[in-house]
């Protein structure tokens, strides 16, 4: 007889050691289940703590705290609470009682097959993480279909999920569990199943006897670990289902059975956390939940802290969310801290080698888990897996075919995907393949031990060279959103190939060719740090071998000039690199690189705040540009001319030139100009146009132009151009417009982008702009410290384009600190620079600030007014209405102050009229006109 106890929505079947809620199994540990059975068998009776412990833990000393933990788990499973208990009540200090009404139901046991027929299957694990959706999905398939296979790589948790599915279906299905991992010959599967069922074999047709025994019963036969006997498992499943009506078959395997009527459920890795998560954010991830649970069990108590969270996130990510690998990692916390464990995973096969003693041999170490799959592959599939290990991250079928030596690459890829050794993402057209990191590391070890690594990496490098050379024009000229493929996906492989090529065992000439081929991609993705490292190594090789490959050397020197916008004192960088590139280009007659080099030298002159020599370089550029087959080169020369005119103070001419350039540029096909000339040409033109608009008095138009240009730079995803517009237009114009909140927003954006891209100079510009905000916030001391430190960086890097305007901030901070003489010396230095270089764009502002400082000195009113009038005269010459608007305000204030001072100093008492009266002074008249 089978006794069933019913209470609320629950059914407790003690003989089967199961608790069901509305027909579904409730996950509950053995001790908690024993406690429930004991209390429910004595309803309404108070059972002391000692009685419960003696019943559940006979002959074992157990602390009462342990009992409380299990009762807490039990109450949670029942949905009970200590404050308002429905099922179990606690009398503090005495014990517990089962208080819910219950019904007992004694039924003759139906001829059911014992669930979990062997010791290995155990009972449903007490805790399972992140598999609720999978369990429900598989249970749903099993309810509709008769043959379901759970597929996935080794250690991902297929058996655990299968047991959970059986537990969920326990009310409707009996189960028999067959572990095939120790079955060496698939022919024996029927014999093993019959033995587990206790069937006495009466004929030569064992499957027929099994079918007769199971037919018309609601039973599921679980065939666990079928991958090594997959053909025979498929034959057995088909035969059993053909000869029966009701039984179902659930299998776990690293590859599908490919049997008739099979439904495959591919089990995915556990969800991973964000890389820099807090403890709370990380614990949302099932992978982290599993790690913490196993760490707690291993250490006898562990709680995830914010300090540990990034390391745990890294561990789970490095292990690809594979449950077994995470459990093995957590088990090493006995001897390693979390941080040390994270660092040690580069040798994960040595570290992850201590599984549970009771686990299957293939689950006791990570290497054994992958060995189980690898050693069962045919030799061609083993070789393909090894060769694919040189491909990090996601890769295309084209890349795979390039490294696989067999002519049957597509078939081999399909086989490895089927066997869960290769992941294929087919959601975006052409499949993107990926090896799990643990599998890739295992296969790469095999490749290296066979002495084949360099051979395969050579094939991969040649593939990348051919791909990037063929795609040069597309990478140059097409929006990244319209690329025919995601070239950014090649970056991990490019890094690996360059690392090998420049190593002692690599092929340096291939690495040089690959570096040159990758230059457009490096720049388009703003990977300037990596580009600089590779270019430097390539040039070290070519410079030592004159005339080996001058064209590559020219391109590499041109690339070496790209990092101009950083603080770097290497002599080969910047102007030196571009001068060398220009000489080689002229020797080779290469018009393209002559234009690039002259453009770069022009940029250098502008960045040094020297617009006079810059104008000469513009003329040199425009002399060569008509020889270029790209008519846009002449138009780009117009942009250079317009920008130079702005720095010379010829703002109206500059604006006209830039408007013409932008209109003409719309008529040329999309080109590679952002790579040839570092920045998107529309963005750079609109930067200077916005500056001109502000100086010409069109403040609102200037701010709109900036907002639209930022939006365009974001749309085209060109990070250098975005940083450029922020540094040279958005931040300074927001400050000049008195829009401090907007300026702070732009400055923060500039800091974030330039820090992420290591753009040191523009990052320093942001610090200078921030110093101006500190001054406006009444912190002249902080402003002075920051502006001087930042200007020192800029001068050291040769970037003095904005030095004069930054000197106005320094001078104002000095004046606000009472250092008037020093402030005037700073302004005099700035004015001297402008006189020698021809720089005029902010000349009116220099004179205005000069006047503001003089006005603060005792008796400085007249000299201040003279400085303001000089500023106004300069603004009128340059038609600089924006500067004029600020200057006339200062003139009005200065004249008012002078008038008030005269009144105080020269008050005269007039006889007979009583009182004091100021002497007559000239009327101020129009404040915009000097008196």
């Amino acid at each position: 007889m089978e006794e069933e106890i019913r209470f609320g929505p629950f059914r407790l079947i003690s003989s089967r050691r199961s608790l069901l809620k509305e027909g579904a199994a409730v996950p509950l540990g053995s001790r908690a289940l024993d406690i429930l059975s004991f209390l429910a068998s004595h309803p309404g009776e108070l059972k002391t703590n000692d009685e419960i412990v003696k019943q559940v833990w006979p002959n074992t000393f157990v602390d009462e705290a342990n009992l409380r933990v299990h009762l807490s788990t039990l109450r949670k499973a029942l949905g009970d609470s200590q404050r308002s208990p429905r099922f179990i009540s606690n009398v503090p200090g005495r014990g517990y009682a089962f208080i819910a009404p219950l019904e007992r139901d004694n039924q003759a046991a139906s001829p059911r097959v014992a669930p979990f027929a062997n010791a290995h299957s155990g009972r449903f694990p007490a805790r399972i993480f992140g598999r609720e959706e999978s369990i429900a999905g598989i249970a749903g398939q099993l309810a509709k279909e008769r043959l379901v296979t759970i597929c996935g790589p080794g250690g991902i948790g297929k058996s655990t999920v299968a047991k959970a599915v059986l537990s969920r279906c326990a009310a409707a299905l009996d189960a028999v569990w067959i572990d095939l991992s120790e079955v060496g010959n698939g022919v024996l599967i029927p014999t093993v199943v019959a033995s587990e069922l206790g069937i006495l074999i009466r004929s030569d047709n064992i499957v027929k006897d099994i079918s007769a025994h199971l037919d018309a019963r609601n039973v599921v036969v679980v065939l666990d670990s079928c991958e090594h006997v997959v053909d025979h498992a498929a034959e057995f499943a088909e035969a059993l289902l053909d000869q029966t009506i009701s039984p179902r078959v659930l299998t776990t395997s690293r590859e599908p059975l490919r049997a008739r009527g099979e439904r495959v459920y591919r089990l995915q890795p556990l969800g991973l956390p964000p890389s820099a998560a807090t403890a709370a954010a990380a614990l949302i991830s099932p992978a982290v939940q599993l790690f913490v649970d196993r760490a707690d069990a291993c250490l006898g108590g562990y709680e995830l802290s914010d300090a540990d969270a990034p390391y745990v996130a890294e561990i789970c990510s490095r292990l690809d969310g594979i449950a077994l690998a995470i459990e093995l990692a957590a088990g090493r916390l006995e001897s390693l801290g979390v941080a040390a464990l994270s660092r040690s995973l580069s040798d994960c096969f040595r570290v992850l080698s201590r599984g549970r003693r009771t686990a299957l041999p293939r689950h006791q170490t990570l290497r054994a888990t992958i060995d189980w799959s690898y050693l069962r592959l045919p030799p061609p599939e083993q070789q393909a897996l090894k060769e694919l290990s040189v491909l990090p991250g996601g890769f295309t079928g084209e890349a795979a075919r390039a490294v696989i030596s067999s002519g049957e690459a597509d078939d081999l890829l399909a086989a490895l995907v089927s066997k869960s050794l290769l992941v294929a993402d087919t959601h975006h057209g052409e499949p993107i393949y990926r090896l799990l990191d643990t599998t890739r590391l295992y296969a790469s070890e095999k490749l290296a031990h066979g002495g084949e690594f360099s051979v395969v990496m050579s094939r991969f490098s040649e593939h990348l060279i051919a791909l990037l050379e063929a795609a040069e024009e597309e990478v140059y000229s097409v929006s990244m959103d319209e690329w025919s493929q995601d070239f950014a996906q090649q970056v991990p492989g490019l890094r690996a190939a360059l690392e090998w090529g420049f190593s002692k065992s690599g092929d340096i000439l291939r690495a040089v060719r690959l570096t040159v081929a990758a230059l457009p991609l490096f720049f388009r993705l703003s990977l300037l740090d990596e580009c600089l490292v590779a270019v430097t190594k390539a040039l070290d090789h070519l410079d030592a071998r004159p005339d080996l490959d001058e064209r590559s050397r020219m391109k590499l020197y041109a690339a070496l000039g790209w990092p101009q916008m950083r603080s770097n004192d290497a002599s080969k960088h910047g102007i030196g690199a571009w001068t060398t590139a220009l000489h080689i280009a002229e020797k080779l007659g290469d018009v393209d690189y002559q234009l690039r080099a002259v453009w770069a030298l022009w940029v250098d002159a502008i960045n040094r705040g020297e617009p006079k020599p810059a104008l000469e370089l513009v003329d040199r550029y425009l002399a060569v540009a008509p020889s270029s087959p790209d008519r846009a080169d002449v138009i780009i020369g117009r942009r250079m001319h317009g920008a130079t005119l702005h720095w010379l103070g010829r703002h109206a001419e500059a604006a006209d030139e830039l408007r013409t350039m932008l209109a003409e540029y719309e008529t040329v096909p999309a080109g590679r100009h952002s790579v040839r000339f570092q920045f998107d040409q529309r963005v750079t033109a609109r930067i200077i146009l916005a500056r001109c608009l502000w100086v010409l008095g069109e403040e609102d138009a200037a701010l709109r132009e900036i907002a639209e240009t930022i939006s365009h730079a974001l749309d085209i995803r060109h990070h250098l151009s975005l940083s450029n517009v922020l540094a040279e237009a958005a931040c300074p114009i927001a400050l000049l417009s008195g829009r401090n909140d907007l300026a702070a927003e732009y400055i923060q954006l500039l800091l974030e982008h330039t820090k992420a891209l290591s753009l040191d100079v523009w990052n320093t510009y942001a610090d200078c702009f921030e110093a101006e905000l500190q001054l406006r916030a009444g912190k002249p001391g902080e402003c002075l410290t920051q502006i001087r430190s930042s200007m020192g960086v800029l001068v050291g890097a040769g970037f003095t384009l904005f030095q004069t305007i930054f000197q106005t901030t320094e001078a104002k901070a000095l004046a606000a600190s009472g250092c008037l003489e020093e402030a005037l010396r700073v302004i005099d230095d700035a004015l001297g620079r402008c006189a020698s270089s021809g720089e005029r764009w902010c000349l009116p502002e220099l004179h205005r600030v000069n006047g503001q400082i003089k006005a603060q000195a005792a008796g400085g009113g007249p000299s201040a007014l003279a400085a303001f009038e000089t500023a106004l005269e300069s603004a009128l010459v340059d038609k600089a209405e924006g500067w004029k608007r600020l200057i006339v305000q200062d003139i009005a204030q200065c004249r008012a102050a002078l008038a008030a001072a005269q009144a105080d100093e020269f008050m005269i008492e007039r006889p007979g009229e009583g009182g004091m009266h100021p002497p007559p002074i000239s009327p101020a008249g129009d404040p915009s006109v000097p008196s």
Side-chain angles (χ1 to χ4, degrees):
M1 301 292 287
E2 185 175 67
E3 184 180 45
E4 186 176 286
I5 299 175
R6 299 179 181 175
F7 55 97
F10 298 95
R11 293 162 55 205
L12 175 63
I13 307 172
S14 299
S15 61
R16 294 169 54 190
R17 298 189 59 75
S18 64
L19 176 67
L20 307 179
K21 181 180 181 180
E22 297 175 347
V26 177
L28 204 57
S30 60
R31 302 298 187 186
L33 193 60
D34 290 340
I35 293 169
L36 177 61
S37 296
F38 179 58
L39 293 176
S41 64
H42 301 83
E45 298 181 24
L46 179 67
K47 292 297 178 182
T48 66
N49 295 345
D50 288 340
E51 287 178 300
I52 298 171
V53 168
K54 187 177 294 185
Q55 176 69 28
V56 178
W57 288 277
N59 305 317
T60 303
F61 172 79
V62 174
D63 189 89
E64 286 189 6
N66 204 344
L67 173 62
R68 288 196 295 274
V69 169
H70 285 285
L71 274 158
S72 176
T73 300
L74 175 58
R75 278 178 157 166
K76 187 175 181 180
L78 296 174
D80 214 352
S81 68
Q82 189 168 351
R83 179 174 297 179
S84 304
R86 293 184 299 151
F87 304 110
I88 297 175
S89 176
N90 171 231
V91 180
R94 296 186 59 194
Y96 298 83
F98 189 94
I99 59 173
L102 54 79
E103 298 176 5
R104 297 181 184 275
D105 188 5
N106 294 318
Q107 297 178 341
S110 59
R112 298 163 66 95
V113 180
F116 303 115
N118 59 25
H120 162 69
S121 63
R123 61 174 61 87
F124 171 58
R127 304 195 72 181
I128 187 168
F129 301 95
R131 295 302 190 194
E132 294 79 5
E133 184 177 339
S134 296
I135 293 166
I138 296 166
Q141 285 190 351
L142 199 60
K144 297 182 293 184
E145 309 293 343
R146 297 185 65 202
L147 174 57
V148 178
T149 296
I150 304 174
C151 268
I156 201 167
K158 299 182 292 295
S159 300
T160 299
V161 168
K163 292 176 184 178
V165 170
L166 297 185
S167 181
R168 176 174 289 230
C169 300
L173 291 171
D174 287 322
V176 58
W177 185 280
I178 311 296
D179 179 11
L180 298 180
S181 63
E182 300 299 323
V183 178
N185 189 337
V187 174
L188 298 176
I189 291 177
T191 304
V192 172
V193 174
S195 174
E196 292 293 344
L197 290 170
I199 298 174
L200 181 62
I201 304 302
R202 301 181 183 278
S203 70
D204 292 335
N205 191 337
I206 302 177
V207 176
K208 183 177 180 181
D209 292 341
I210 295 171
S211 300
H213 182 81
L214 297 179
D215 200 15
R217 302 188 185 191
N218 284 329
V219 61
V220 56
V221 177
V222 183
L223 303 178
D224 187 38
S225 303
C226 296
E227 52 272 353
H228 61 301
V229 288
V230 66
D231 292 338
H232 291 95
E235 291 175 8
F236 173 79
E238 284 189 0
L240 176 64
L241 297 179
D242 284 346
Q243 298 176 35
T244 58
I245 298 174
S246 298
R248 291 167 169 76
V249 175
L250 175 65
T251 71
T252 71
S253 176
R254 300 187 188 187
E255 64 176 304
L257 271 58
R258 288 191 288 169
R260 185 173 59 255
E262 179 186 30
R263 294 293 180 269
V264 177
Y265 189 97
R266 287 207 172 266
L267 198 59
Q268 300 301 312
L270 294 173
L272 297 172
S275 57
T278 62
L283 281 168
I284 297 174
S285 155
V288 173
Q289 294 169 15
L290 175 63
F291 181 92
V292 171
D293 181 77
R294 298 303 184 263
D296 183 65
C298 170
L299 300 176
Y302 174 77
E303 291 187 6
L304 183 65
S305 66
D306 285 345
D308 280 356
Y311 296 112
V312 173
E314 171 70 10
I315 290 167
C316 294
S317 297
R318 288 282 299 275
L319 298 177
D320 297 301
I322 301 298
L324 174 64
I326 291 170
E327 290 189 28
L328 292 171
R332 292 310 303 266
L333 291 182
E334 289 178 320
S335 56
L336 289 172
V338 172
L341 176 60
S342 176
R343 290 191 297 270
S344 71
L345 286 183
S346 57
D347 190 8
C348 60
F349 295 112
R350 178 185 61 81
V351 175
L352 306 184
S353 57
R354 295 182 60 197
R356 289 178 289 109
R357 289 188 176 90
T358 57
L360 293 169
R362 69 177 190 276
H363 286 167
Q364 291 187 357
T365 72
L366 184 59
R367 186 180 297 280
T369 298
I370 304 179
D371 275 340
W372 174 264
S373 295
Y374 179 81
L375 295 176
R376 287 162 175 78
L377 295 177
E381 293 176 17
Q382 289 183 348
Q383 183 65 21
L385 185 66
K386 290 189 296 181
E387 291 167 338
L388 290 172
S389 70
V390 304
L391 304 175
F395 53 88
T396 62
E398 182 183 5
R401 287 187 287 273
V403 300
I404 293 176
S405 54
S406 168
E408 305 297 327
D410 289 339
D411 290 341
L412 293 169
L413 288 172
L416 293 173
V417 169
S418 177
K419 294 175 182 179
S420 303
L421 287 166
L422 186 63
V423 179
D425 180 356
T426 58
H427 292 94
H428 306 287
E430 182 185 1
I432 298 297
Y433 300 96
R434 184 174 69 89
L435 287 171
L436 297 180
D437 282 349
T438 47
T439 305
R440 188 173 64 81
L441 181 59
Y442 175 94
S444 66
E445 283 187 5
K446 296 286 186 183
L447 187 70
H449 289 160
E452 303 170 89
F453 180 74
S454 290
V455 174
V456 180
M457 190 56 84
S458 295
R459 292 202 296 267
F460 179 46
S461 297
E462 286 297 328
H463 160 72
L464 286 176
I465 292 168
L467 173 70
L468 293 173
E469 286 180 347
E472 179 182 10
E473 189 65 32
E474 182 179 357
V475 173
Y476 270 140
S477 60
V478 178
S479 165
M480 283 190 276
D481 291 330
E482 298 174 1
W483 277 351
S484 61
Q485 61 173 284
D486 184 5
F487 292 106
Q489 194 175 68
Q490 304 296 338
V491 171
L494 176 61
R495 289 170 179 151
L498 288 173
E499 182 180 0
W500 165 77
F502 285 120
S503 70
K504 290 181 179 179
S505 60
D507 184 336
I508 194 164
L509 284 177
R510 262 201 186 91
V512 170
R513 290 173 52 220
L514 180 56
T515 301
V516 172
L519 290 176
L521 184 63
F522 272 132
F523 192 81
R524 192 69 189 270
L525 298 177
S526 301
L527 299 174
L528 298 182
D529 274 336
E530 296 178 56
C531 180
L532 181 60
V533 171
V535 165
T536 302
K537 290 178 179 179
L539 280 174
D540 286 345
H541 183 75
L542 292 183
D543 283 344
R545 295 159 180 82
D547 299 323
L548 176 64
D549 186 351
E550 283 294 89
R551 188 164 299 280
S552 290
R553 187 164 163 264
M554 173 187 70
K555 292 181 178 181
L556 290 166
Y557 267 111
L560 194 62
W562 289 349
Q564 287 186 48
M565 66 288 297
R566 304 162 195 227
S567 295
N568 199 318
D569 297 328
S571 60
K572 291 183 179 179
H573 295 182
I575 190 169
W578 284 114
T579 300
T580 303
L582 178 58
H583 289 160
I584 300 173
E586 289 175 336
K587 182 173 70 173
L588 297 176
D590 191 307
V591 172
D592 180 14
Y593 274 82
Q594 287 181 60
L595 291 175
R596 296 186 193 216
V598 174
W599 170 84
L601 293 171
W602 169 80
V603 169
D604 183 78
I606 291 294
N607 284 334
R608 286 184 281 108
E610 297 181 357
K612 282 182 181 177
L615 192 60
E616 294 175 4
L617 287 164
V618 171
D619 293 339
R620 187 173 178 181
Y621 179 98
L622 289 172
V624 178
S627 303
S628 170
D630 188 348
R631 68 185 184 89
D633 287 336
V634 174
I635 300 172
I636 290 169
R638 279 184 173 275
R639 182 192 68 77
M640 295 165 61
H641 187 229
T644 309
L645 292 176
H646 164 67
W647 302 117
L648 288 167
R650 296 157 61 178
H651 309 294
E653 293 176 70
D656 289 343
E657 185 80 298
L658 292 169
R659 289 190 182 99
T660 300
M661 174 266 168
L662 286 167
E664 292 179 355
Y665 197 72
E666 292 297 327
T667 67
V668 299
R672 53 185 183 170
H673 311 124
S674 66
V675 174
R676 292 174 66 210
F677 304 115
Q678 293 195 19
F679 308 106
D680 179 84
Q681 294 303 296
R682 292 179 183 83
V683 170
T684 50
R686 294 179 73 177
I687 286 170
I688 303 300
L689 180 58
R691 294 175 61 89
C692 291
L693 289 172
W694 187 90
V695 175
L696 293 169
E698 300 180 47
E699 181 178 298
D700 292 341
L703 291 171
R704 282 196 304 273
E705 188 74 25
I706 288 168
E708 291 172 6
T709 307
I710 290 174
S711 178
H712 174 67
L714 288 169
D715 287 344
I716 64 174
R717 294 160 59 189
H718 197 264
H719 303 299
L720 284 178
S721 293
L722 175 61
S723 298
N724 194 16
V725 67
L726 289 168
E728 297 193 4
C731 294
I733 291 177
L735 287 170
L736 290 173
S737 303
R739 300 281 298 275
N740 292 352
D741 290 344
L742 181 62
E745 180 183 328
Y746 285 150
I747 290 168
Q748 184 59 38
L749 195 58
L750 179 60
L751 284 168
E752 291 171 359
H753 276 266
T754 53
K755 184 176 181 180
L757 297 173
S758 300
L759 301 174
D760 296 346
V761 167
W762 282 337
N763 190 264
T764 307
Y765 282 173
D767 291 337
C768 292
F769 297 136
E770 197 169 51
E772 174 69 26
L773 286 180
Q774 290 173 340
L775 179 63
R776 296 182 184 188
K779 301 175 182 178
E782 294 179 22
C783 166
L784 193 59
T785 299
Q786 183 156 320
I787 196 72
R788 283 181 162 173
S789 171
S790 300
M791 286 173 63
V793 172
L794 294 173
V795 171
F799 279 77
T800 52
L801 171 61
F802 291 139
Q803 181 172 340
T804 50
I805 197 69
F806 291 151
Q807 283 179 300
T808 65
T809 299
E810 179 188 10
K812 288 185 290 186
L814 285 166
S817 302
C819 305
L820 298 182
E821 290 186 5
E822 189 176 357
L824 290 173
R825 284 197 296 271
V826 169
I827 288 297
D828 286 343
D829 178 71
L831 289 168
R833 280 180 50 82
C834 288
S836 63
S837 69
E839 179 186 350
R840 274 190 71 93
W841 75 273
C842 64
L843 186 60
E845 177 69 356
L846 295 178
H847 288 299
R848 187 176 80 91
V849 173
N850 188 30
Q852 289 178 332
I853 296 168
K854 288 179 176 179
Q856 295 181 50
S863 60
L865 184 59
F868 288 139
E869 289 172 344
T870 301
L872 183 58
E873 181 181 355
S874 176
L876 292 172
V877 169
D878 296 341
K879 301 178 182 177
E881 292 294 323
W883 295 128
K884 176 184 170 182
R885 185 171 56 248
L886 300 175
I887 294 165
V888 295
Q889 295 172 5
D890 284 333
I891 288 176
Q893 292 174 4
C894 184
R895 286 178 173 168
L898 281 172
Q902 286 177 330
D904 289 342
E905 187 174 349
F906 300 109
M907 290 293 287
I908 303 171
E909 181 177 357
R910 296 184 179 178
E913 295 184 14
M916 305 290 289
H917 298 275
I921 60 173
S922 301
D926 182 358
S928 67
V929 180
S931 60

